Amino acid sequence: METDVLIVGGGPCGLMLANELGPRGIRCLLVDSKPGTAFNPQANATQARTMEHYRRLGFADEIRALGLPPDHPTDIVYFTRFSGYELARLELPTAAEAVRKVKEMSGSWSAAELPHRVSQKYVEQALKRRAERWPTNDVRYGWVLEDFQGESTHVDASVRPVENGAPVQVRARYLVGADGARSMVRRRLGIEWGGMTGVQRYFMGGKMFAVYMLAPALRAAMPHRLGWMHVVVNHERRGFMMPVDGGAEFVFHAALHPGEDADAWTEGDARRLFAQAFGREIPIEVLSACTWTAGHSLVAQRLQQGRIFIAGDAAHLFTPTGGLGYNTAVEDAVNLGWKIAHVLRGAAGEQLLSSYEPERKPAAERNTGYARRFADSVGLYPAGPELEEPGPRGDAARAAASAHLNAHARLEFNIPGVTFGTRYDGSPVIVPDGSVPPPDEPNRYVPTACPGGRAPHAWLPDGRSLFDTFNFEWTLLALGPQPPDTGAFTQAKIDLKVVRHTDSKLLELYEAPLALIRPDQIVAWRGSDATEARKIIAVVSPRP
């Protein structure tokens, strides 16, 4: 069979790529050896920028309706044990409140969408349903990539059903390995990891034990207000717990001690660890249990080899503090999707695809660095027995822990700078204007139209998001009451729409009357006139 893009991996990255290619009429075959989307809860935090991409594709409301009930608390809470002392709490808006509050927010949190707390298992189901709606998409779970060979004009591959089926030969224009941490595609290409691994911490460093469970008695047994992320800090067992469906389903992760071999642990061991974290035994039903390793900050040394790309966990491995792994994977797919489509449709030359690695590799290095910083902040904090003692010594220990953990919660979970601040400075398809972007800070984001970053957001007087007025492909913003002539841009042979806004506040926000916005909502260029339009287009969308 022939296809335009062979996607290996049906997690969030591969599915998001299929959802970028489907609306553009690009044929893709997606294969994943699993029988279906994830059963176990994995990532649980969909960042605001990811929600903005879901909005751009038309299904943010569908994602926001998934997971916890709209009025379920989303606080971040730290305890000595779940039934012990509460040490710190960061209050955050519920899903229902996020929809109302987003239009009132400005500055660092001026956005079309706010974050959403939902298990990856539900997100994958929604992404799969969406991907399968496009007639050019062929989505096959229960199929495995056996072999592939990159050629100068195509990629030849062999795929087969996992259960009793003959191999099928596939010829694709491009292959994308979104096949996870143990990526067969990356290994076959001989691409090594760079970065750090094997970091040991009291928490979020080393082996972890994950338990997916039913705990119908938990809410009644908890002496504290529930939140979304519940973290236990004590000398015996560190861990965290999150609700999955807002009812009886929870996921619990415990840090293992050196010398503990949990690979053969039973359901009894899962109950024992949860009882340590809770402070006493309560009835739970174990749905699944497994081990995994925290402490990774790894980025592949290359993301492209000819017509073959790697993305998502195949390209970068995170310690999951900050929830950055899944969200970075989605941005990989967004970046690569429009570029592949434009090249296949003849709107740009192959050199456009050469910008994927110089844009996404630094972004992955940045984000893995932030995740490592968050993990150090919480995971290296020591917890002695005195933290649970009654009396003055215990009070003093808890006061110190409270100060540290309250500060940490804001460091890790109030991160507009991380969320919106990814930049592609130095990219071969960005036209710099000599301006310098604001400092890259995790907890503060300064909106800027300095080329190479996310387009600044604003709510329009009629209640719409500025982003909702953008074209699906290229947008030229013409701002202010008397913007310059845009004719030179409209003559360019790219899918471009001129969007005019007379509000002087937008002109002030963008600091120029013209701004060229890429399909991924990144500012490619800004300026005061269109005289250099032909040269600008030749850079940002090089011709075949």
Side-chain angles (χ1 to χ4, degrees), residues 79-86 224 232-237 275-279 388:
F79 309 96
T80 54
R81 301 182 194 253
F82 297 135
S83 63
Y85 296 96
E86 181 174 316
H224 309 284
V232 288
V233 181
N234 63 66
H235 71 286
E236 185 181 25
R237 186 70 63 182
Q276 287 177 341
F278 196 86
E388 299 185 89

Side-chain angles (χ1 to χ4, degrees), residues 7-359:
I7 302 172
V8 186
C13 184
L15 288 168
M16 188 64 173
L17 182 57
N19 278 295
E20 291 287 351
L21 298 174
R24 294 178 165 102
I26 303 302
R27 298 173 303 162
C28 74
L29 168 65
L30 184 153
V31 296
D32 192 301
S33 60
K34 301 190 304 294
T37 55
F39 170 75
N40 290 316
Q42 297 174 45
N44 286 274
T46 300
Q47 301 289 12
R49 186 70 187 120
T50 301
M51 289 298 298
E52 287 181 340
H53 285 305
Y54 294 159
R55 183 186 185 107
R56 177 176 52 82
L57 292 172
F59 54 86
D61 290 344
E62 180 181 345
I63 298 294
R64 199 169 288 282
L66 300 174
L68 304 179
D71 59 348
H72 193 286
T74 64
D75 297 354
I76 315 298
V77 200
Y78 298 80
F79 309 96
T80 54
R81 301 182 194 253
F82 297 135
S83 63
Y85 296 96
E86 181 174 316
L87 298 172
R89 181 179 291 261
L90 175 62
E91 296 187 355
L92 295 170
T94 65
E97 290 169 341
V99 174
R100 296 193 301 268
K101 288 186 174 184
V102 67
K103 292 191 176 185
E104 304 168 3
M105 304 183 79
S106 59
S108 287
W109 280 108
S110 178
E113 297 281 344
L114 290 182
H116 182 53
R117 310 306 186 187
V118 55
S119 173
Q120 180 179 316
K121 64 182 291 179
Y122 299 130
V123 174
E124 286 188 11
Q125 293 166 10
L127 292 176
K128 178 176 180 287
R129 287 193 298 269
R130 285 279 170 171
E132 290 174 334
R133 292 183 185 182
W134 301 104
T136 50
N137 284 348
D138 184 351
V139 178
R140 302 189 186 189
Y141 286 83
W143 283 68
V144 63
L145 174 70
E146 281 195 321
D147 196 12
F148 66 89
Q149 179 67 45
E151 306 290 350
S152 60
T153 59
H154 61 273
V155 178
D156 286 325
S158 174
V159 301
R160 64 169 175 82
V162 174
E163 298 290 340
N164 302 323
V168 174
Q169 304 307 308
V170 178
R171 176 160 290 184
R173 296 285 299 279
Y174 300 100
L175 185 150
V176 179
D179 49 341
R182 297 177 176 85
S183 169
M184 176 266 212
V185 175
R186 187 192 67 249
R187 286 186 283 110
R188 277 287 310 276
L189 295 176
I191 298 175
E192 300 292 336
W193 289 118
M196 298 175 59
T197 190
V199 177
Q200 293 294 313
R201 305 181 181 95
Y202 301 115
F203 176 58
M204 286 297 186
K207 273 286 189 77
M208 303 281 291
F209 188 66
V211 183
Y212 181 24
M213 64 188 188
L214 293 177
L218 188 147
R219 294 173 185 274
M222 279 279 284
H224 309 284
R225 281 188 299 125
L226 276 179
W228 164 69
M229 171 75 78
H230 309 86
V231 185
V232 288
V233 181
N234 63 66
H235 71 286
E236 185 181 25
R237 186 70 63 182
R238 305 279 284 264
F240 66 99
M241 172 185 70
M242 289 171 290
V244 175
D245 64 348
E249 289 184 32
F250 293 85
V251 60
F252 167 66
H253 298 260
L256 299 180
H257 302 309
E260 286 186 318
D261 182 7
D263 290 329
W265 277 4
T266 65
E267 291 186 9
D269 292 299
R271 294 189 181 92
R272 173 175 58 82
L273 259 65
F274 185 70
Q276 287 177 341
F278 196 86
R280 62 184 176 86
E281 287 191 14
I282 64 169
I284 65 170
E285 177 185 344
V286 177
L287 301 177
S288 68
C290 63
T291 60
W292 59 279
T293 302
H296 297 310
S297 302
L298 296 172
V299 178
Q301 294 181 347
R302 289 180 289 117
L303 305 188
Q304 179 183 4
Q305 185 165 307
R307 292 180 168 268
I308 303 168
F309 303 84
I310 57 172
D313 285 356
H316 38 70
L317 280 182
F318 287 72
T319 292
T321 41
L324 301 182
Y326 143 57
N327 294 277
T328 303
V330 168
E331 287 261 56
D332 290 346
V334 171
N335 187 289
L336 189 55
W338 74 268
K339 294 175 180 178
I340 287 180
H342 284 209
V343 171
L344 286 172
R345 286 159 51 177
E350 293 273 352
Q351 57 267 50
L352 178 61
L353 292 172
S354 299
S355 67
Y356 170 68
E357 180 177 312
E359 290 188 348

